[in-house]
Amino acid sequence: MHLSDQPIETPPRAPSPVNRFGTLAVHAGSPIDPVTGAVIESISLSTTFAQTGVGKPVGAYEYSRSSNPNRDNFETAVAALEKAKYALAFSSGSATTAVILQSLASGSHVVSVSDVYGGTHRYFTQVAQAHGVKVTFTPEIEVDIAQHITSETKLVWIESPSNPTLRLVDIRAVATEAHKHGIMVVVDNTFLSPYVQNPLDYGADIVVHSVTKYINGHSDVVMGVAAFNSDQMKSRLTFLQNAIGAIPSAFDCWLAHRGLKTLHLRAREATVNATAVAETLQASPHVIAVNYPGLKSHPHRAIAIKQHRNGMGGGMLSFRIKGGSSAAERFCQTTKLFTLAESLGGVESLVEVPSSMTHSGIPQNQREAVGVFDDLIRVSCGVEDAEDLRADVLQALEKATVWPKLSNGVHVNGHAS
């Protein structure tokens, strides 16, 4: 991908589509089969496609690494939901990151927010550097992006909300500054999904997702996707998609497309549940702090109101529990509905301790500099009943923080054990 040193015009908001989100989710990339009339597409498992003559395929397909009907339909659907001209699917979210970074020439420089997904941090610090791409991390990218830009800077990488501290970034502000210098902006939108936020509306050049999370939504597919508007980028990333071969299977594309059709329903319910859980945690004496952009107390609440659909907070939150890492571990081991597991965005609710799980590969001093302490718990709210999730959180807090004091003979509420 050739990135110009000349200023890039910050794209205006895309025009409103003819159909609204829910209608697009159900119908985009879902043509009725002209032969059988099937309403749901078939799974095209064939790896190769017949040709009528040398170099003359019967239809649009030759070999499934290069393109496949299920992948094309899924990409069409994601592009519609992200208000993009194009979308390309990859074998995982990490593969999506790798292909975008691989598109940069050796010697390129990237500016990234500090609190990123552990896998992204691992790629930036251990793989990208190996092929000559340097990454600078900053915790306040809107404030100091200009200070980090050099003549070799080609890309700015944003997570908003960030993983796992739920910090928000003013995408338009960063894109405007980056574009003055001919630098492209990538936004990882995994934590919110296209239903809650559309980064291209705010000037981003590429939006990426771990499809594994909200887009698929059923914890049974590992996959990634990138959406964008540039014809030049489409040519370059399509070449790398095919040449590197980090493509999803036809079956995974079919499953993810099925999941995408209910994204708006799941994202709304997850937000309702996360809001209820966040308010419960915020009111608890056993909690130090709650990170959730749907709360009025969130330091970037104004950005959420501006960038998120109806100011939604999404289904993700994190909080610090009193009692340190041992209390965090006990909380995750005593929940009954929240499963202790990595990942997020599925119909089921999950909890994890980032410092020991998803972000364990990041040095402690770097983790803590951005708020990832050993007592931080990350929560992914699913689509269960909100009251049941609240009750589960309350009983786990009690067992994680109060019970150990009772067992040690400590006075609690005026009583000794």
Side-chain angles (χ1 to χ4, degrees):
M1 186 195 317
H2 174 70
L3 299 177
S4 171
D5 292 328
Q6 300 303 311
I8 300 172
E9 182 180 350
T10 301
R13 282 181 64 92
S16 298
V18 174
N19 294 309
R20 293 174 177 81
F21 192 97
T23 305
L24 289 173
V26 172
H27 294 288
S30 301
I32 303 300
D33 189 295
V35 177
T36 67
V39 173
I40 300 299
E41 64 177 319
S42 301
I43 303 172
S44 181
L45 295 176
S46 183
T47 58
T48 191
F49 299 85
Q51 303 191 16
T52 58
V54 176
K56 296 179 180 179
V58 171
Y61 305 99
E62 298 180 25
Y63 188 62
S64 270
R65 186 185 72 244
S66 302
S67 60
N68 171 278
N70 297 114
R71 194 163 89 223
D72 281 0
N73 288 339
F74 174 73
E75 290 171 345
T76 297
V78 172
L81 298 187
E82 277 292 9
K83 303 180 184 178
K85 190 174 181 180
Y86 306 109
L88 293 175
F90 299 89
S91 54
S92 68
S94 294
T96 309
T97 300
V99 168
I100 291 172
L101 269 289
Q102 190 69 40
S103 71
L104 303 178
S106 179
S108 296
H109 174 240
V110 175
V111 180
S112 171
V113 292
S114 296
D115 44 342
V116 292
Y117 164 55
T120 301
H121 187 277
R122 178 173 58 243
Y123 189 89
F124 284 174
T125 58
Q126 299 184 42
V127 183
Q129 287 191 350
H131 63 83
V133 174
K134 180 182 178 182
V135 180
T136 297
F137 295 98
T138 172
E140 298 287 347
I141 200 164
E142 300 106 316
V143 176
D144 61 8
I145 179 175
Q147 300 173 28
H148 297 292
I149 291 174
T150 72
S151 59
E152 301 304 323
T153 306
K154 305 300 179 186
L155 208 63
V156 171
W157 191 279
I158 295 170
E159 279 188 18
S160 186
S162 64
N163 182 359
T165 58
L166 283 297
R167 293 175 58 83
L168 303 184
V169 173
D170 186 328
I171 298 169
R172 176 67 73 183
V174 172
T176 298
E177 182 63 31
H179 289 172
K180 291 178 185 177
H181 304 273
I183 299 166
M184 304 194 100
V185 176
V186 179
V187 176
D188 186 335
N189 198 28
T190 296
F191 258 38
L192 288 181
S193 86
Y195 180 70
V196 182
Q197 177 176 261
N198 295 121
L200 299 184
D201 277 353
Y202 299 96
D205 300 286
I206 308 175
V207 54
V208 299
H209 291 271
S210 171
V211 173
T212 311
K213 315 307 193 293
Y214 281 106
I215 289 179
N216 177 61
H218 292 79
S219 301
D220 52 12
V221 167
V222 174
M223 198 167 153
V225 72
F228 45 87
N229 291 315
S230 166
D231 296 339
Q232 181 185 10
M233 196 179 304
K234 170 65 160 58
S235 177
R236 177 61 174 158
L237 294 183
T238 298
F239 171 80
L240 291 172
Q241 181 193 48
N242 183 55
I244 296 174
I247 52 98
S249 72
F251 184 49
D252 281 355
C253 290
W254 186 91
L255 282 173
H257 196 176
R258 175 217 58 181
L260 176 149
K261 292 175 186 291
T262 59
L263 173 58
H264 52 302
L265 307 177
R266 293 182 285 104
R268 286 200 295 258
E269 194 67 12
T271 294
V272 169
N273 289 347
T275 301
V277 170
E279 290 173 347
T280 299
L281 290 167
Q282 190 173 48
S284 171
H286 309 306
V287 172
I288 299 171
V290 181
N291 305 313
Y292 182 61
L295 293 175
K296 292 180 180 179
S297 59
H298 191 281
H300 303 145
R301 178 61 186 154
I303 297 176
I305 292 171
K306 180 173 67 172
Q307 288 181 181
H308 302 178
R309 181 188 298 269
N310 300 326
M312 295 171 67
M316 296 298 300
L317 62 104
S318 61
F319 71 98
R320 293 184 63 191
I321 190 171
K322 291 181 179 179
S325 60
S326 58
E329 290 185 23
R330 282 194 298 271
F331 177 89
C332 293
Q333 291 167 350
T334 54
T335 53
K336 297 176 180 179
L337 296 178
F338 290 88
T339 300
L340 174 56
E342 296 186 0
S343 199
L344 58 106
V347 293
E348 68 290 320
S349 294
L350 305 175
V351 289
E352 64 116 2
V353 180
S355 63
S356 300
M357 297 171 69
T358 53
H359 292 67
S360 61
I362 302 175
Q364 183 177 2
N365 64 323
Q366 294 181 31
R367 286 201 312 266
E368 293 186 349
V370 293
V372 185
F373 297 95
D374 290 346
D375 58 11
L376 184 76
I377 298 169
R378 191 184 76 179
V379 181
S380 172
C381 289
V383 298
E384 302 94 337
D385 188 281
E387 287 305 308
D388 291 333
L389 295 181
R390 286 183 68 255
D392 194 29
V393 164
L394 288 171
Q395 67 84 23
L397 282 173
E398 191 82 4
K399 291 178 181 176
T401 61
V402 177
W403 285 23
K405 296 177 182 178
L406 292 173
S407 63
N408 291 328
V410 176
H411 284 262
V412 179
N413 296 327
H415 301 284
S417 61

